[in-house]
Amino acid sequence: MARQTRQTILDVAGNLFGNRGFDAVSLDQIAAEVGVAKQTVLYWFSTKDELVQEVLAETAVELTVVVEAAIRSAPDDPLDRMEAVVKAVFRPAVRRPSLLGLVREISRLPSESSERLTDSLRPLVERAMNWMKAEMDAGRLRRADPGLIVALAYATVTGIATEPEALRVVGWNADIAGLRRLRDELVDFLRAALAPR
Amino acid sequence: MARQTRQTILDVAGNLFGNRGFDAVSLDQIAAEVGVAKQTVLYWFSTKDELVQEVLAETAVELTVVVEAAIRSAPDDPLDRMEAVVKAVFRPAVRRPSLLGLVREISRLPSESSERLTDSLRPLVERAMNWMKAEMDAGRLRRADPGLIVALAYATVTGIATEPEALRVVGWNADIAGLRRLRDELVDFLRAALAPR
DNA sequence: ACCTTTCTCTACCATTTGGTAGAGAAATGT
DNA sequence: ACATTTCTCTACCAAATGGTAGAGAAAGGT
């Protein structure tokens, strides 16, 4: 099925873009890894820039789905809910660092592109901010600036998931036990950061 | 003074590399911003790769100096000391996001390059880990895996300092008051994350 | 004053890159 | 069975890129 070629291109491109950065990846490299000619990539996506936009749009959808599913099935306690969301994002993110690596690349796009993408994530972010403010008002989370706390939590999760060098320097191993320790330490770190005094 | 040209090239290259990524910046762009010919850049640095290495070596030195100075003049209380270090790093980092943007790019280098660079930062990291472990043993910091906590604190600081998009989405403004609020929120976040239970 | 060294430049090179054009095979429709 | 559409390919293009070679100006030494 030819549309399968299109999805393969998106998957391979997403992986390479997220790991190396948009400009470090050429159409030839994507084509070679998919196993088609560069012209085939350009058949499905008119330009490299369009491919980048589609990859990012897919990523935004995937993350939104993951986060919203975690929220729906999460317990009522805010720290438990935060933990459920972090674990839900962490699971695919550590297996595939390119996922959050892509989100980080958004800051490197021209303004209009990055704004279009962050606009698609804005409803999710605003729900998180409003929820956080309500829990802080109820005394169930440490009182702080909800927006900055959302940004800090996001920075911590993406930062730790997308920089294997930083983890290697502190002696961490990417085996099953190591992943579990990292996830648990991350969750404890955020719980402690957000717990009411 | 011609050696001034060399330092200007390093400064401009560091800025561009840290903001956009190594592969998104050409020798011609660096030369244009310095105001010299591309050949002049290649006179001082034999290859683009050598320029990258020098920029990163300079960055490692600068950060090491900043952190060590903060440690020397910090109070004895571990949370106060952590706060002093975070503020010392945050100050140049937010004014010049390329600084930590460069550190993040280390993960994208070929293995031997990134290892050489992380090796130059390893003594600093190990001192931080040993200090953290001692304070945890003394009950002055929350007990956790010292290595992972160092990595998480680093991820939080660099993450928040190098992704203006994430901050813009939560409604943050990059004015003087906004910078102070961000710095204070970051410090509170980390204090809460590390405080003993 | 002249020689040597340092620094900067233009011209040039081969390769890479994003993209275009049209041919032909495979899939689909009538 | 034939026509049309979809998908994949090779060949080609202009521009960008990292780098080389050598000329000449500026700085420094004798």
Side-chain angles (χ1 to χ4, degrees):
Chain A
M1 187 51 163
R3 284 195 72 83
Q4 195 171 322
T5 300
R6 183 181 197 278
Q7 189 56 55
T8 306
I9 291 170
L10 280 171
D11 293 344
V12 167
N15 221 31
L16 293 174
F17 287 149
N19 286 333
R20 304 186 198 167
F22 301 134
D23 296 289
V25 179
S26 66
L27 294 175
D28 270 310
Q29 288 168 334
I30 297 167
E33 193 158 322
V34 174
V36 298
K38 174 173 65 179
Q39 186 42 29
T40 303
V41 177
L42 288 163
Y43 173 80
W44 290 105
F45 306 93
S46 306
T47 65
K48 181 181 181 184
D49 197 53
E50 183 183 313
L51 176 57
V52 164
Q53 297 298 325
E54 289 259 1
V55 160
L56 287 173
E58 250 202 0
T59 299
V61 164
E62 178 177 351
L63 283 171
T64 301
V65 163
V66 160
V67 167
E68 284 178 346
I71 289 173
R72 271 198 296 281
S73 60
D76 179 67
D77 178 73
L79 289 174
D80 288 340
R81 178 171 290 202
M82 181 277 298
E83 173 167 338
V85 171
V86 167
K87 280 177 165 172
V89 170
F90 186 83
R91 196 172 296 124
V94 158
R95 231 183 352 258
R96 190 159 52 94
S98 56
L99 180 61
L100 294 180
L102 281 164
V103 182
R104 292 175 105 181
E105 285 289 297
I106 292 178
S107 287
R108 290 198 167 153
L109 292 173
S111 287
E112 68 175 38
S113 294
S114 61
E115 272 176 42
R116 192 185 315 133
L117 278 146
T118 51
D119 278 352
S120 69
L121 290 166
R122 198 178 296 279
L124 195 61
V125 171
E126 284 183 357
R127 272 181 59 199
M129 285 169 64
N130 290 338
W131 168 80
M132 197 157 276
K133 186 179 190 313
E135 296 294 349
M136 285 170 182
D137 288 344
R140 304 212 285 174
L141 287 183
R142 178 172 67 83
R143 185 167 283 286
D145 182 317
L148 293 183
I149 295 298
V150 166
L152 282 163
Y154 158 80
T156 306
V157 175
T158 60
I160 205 68
T162 56
E163 270 189 84
E165 283 309 308
L167 289 164
R168 211 165 49 72
V169 167
V170 302
W172 178 78
N173 288 321
D175 49 26
I176 299 284
L179 282 168
R180 192 172 291 121
R181 273 172 53 236
L182 178 61
R183 184 200 64 192
D184 291 347
E185 212 60 86
L186 169 64
V187 160
D188 284 350
F189 187 90
L190 293 173
R191 291 189 84 102
L194 302 185
R197 276 189 174 83
Chain B
M1 190 43 164
R3 284 196 74 83
Q4 195 170 319
T5 302
R6 184 181 196 278
Q7 190 56 55
T8 305
I9 290 169
L10 280 170
D11 294 343
V12 167
N15 221 31
L16 294 173
F17 287 149
N19 286 334
R20 303 184 200 168
F22 300 134
D23 294 290
V25 180
S26 66
L27 293 175
D28 270 310
Q29 287 167 333
I30 296 168
E33 195 158 320
V34 173
V36 297
K38 176 173 67 179
Q39 187 41 31
T40 302
V41 177
L42 287 165
Y43 173 80
W44 291 104
F45 305 93
S46 304
T47 64
K48 181 183 182 184
D49 196 55
E50 183 182 312
L51 176 56
V52 164
Q53 296 299 325
E54 290 260 359
V55 160
L56 288 173
E58 250 203 358
T59 299
V61 165
E62 178 176 352
L63 283 171
T64 301
V65 164
V66 161
V67 168
E68 284 179 345
I71 290 173
R72 271 198 296 279
S73 60
D76 180 64
D77 177 73
L79 290 172
D80 289 340
R81 180 172 289 203
M82 182 275 298
E83 175 168 337
V85 171
V86 167
K87 281 176 165 173
V89 170
F90 185 82
R91 196 172 296 121
V94 158
R95 230 181 356 256
R96 190 161 50 97
S98 57
L99 180 61
L100 294 180
L102 281 165
V103 182
R104 291 175 102 181
E105 285 288 300
I106 292 179
S107 287
R108 291 199 163 151
L109 292 173
S111 287
E112 68 175 36
S113 295
S114 60
E115 273 177 41
R116 193 184 314 134
L117 278 145
T118 52
D119 278 352
S120 68
L121 290 166
R122 198 178 296 280
L124 194 61
V125 171
E126 283 182 358
R127 271 181 60 201
M129 285 169 63
N130 291 336
W131 168 79
M132 197 157 274
K133 187 179 189 313
E135 296 294 349
M136 285 171 181
D137 287 346
R140 304 211 288 173
L141 287 182
R142 177 174 67 83
R143 185 169 284 285
D145 182 315
L148 293 183
I149 294 299
V150 166
L152 281 163
Y154 158 80
T156 305
V157 176
T158 58
I160 206 68
T162 55
E163 271 189 84
E165 284 308 310
L167 288 164
R168 213 165 47 71
V169 167
V170 303
W172 178 78
N173 288 321
D175 50 24
I176 299 286
L179 282 168
R180 191 172 293 124
R181 272 171 52 236
L182 177 61
R183 184 201 64 193
D184 290 347
E185 211 60 86
L186 169 64
V187 159
D188 285 347
F189 187 90
L190 292 174
R191 288 189 86 102
L194 302 186
R197 276 188 173 81

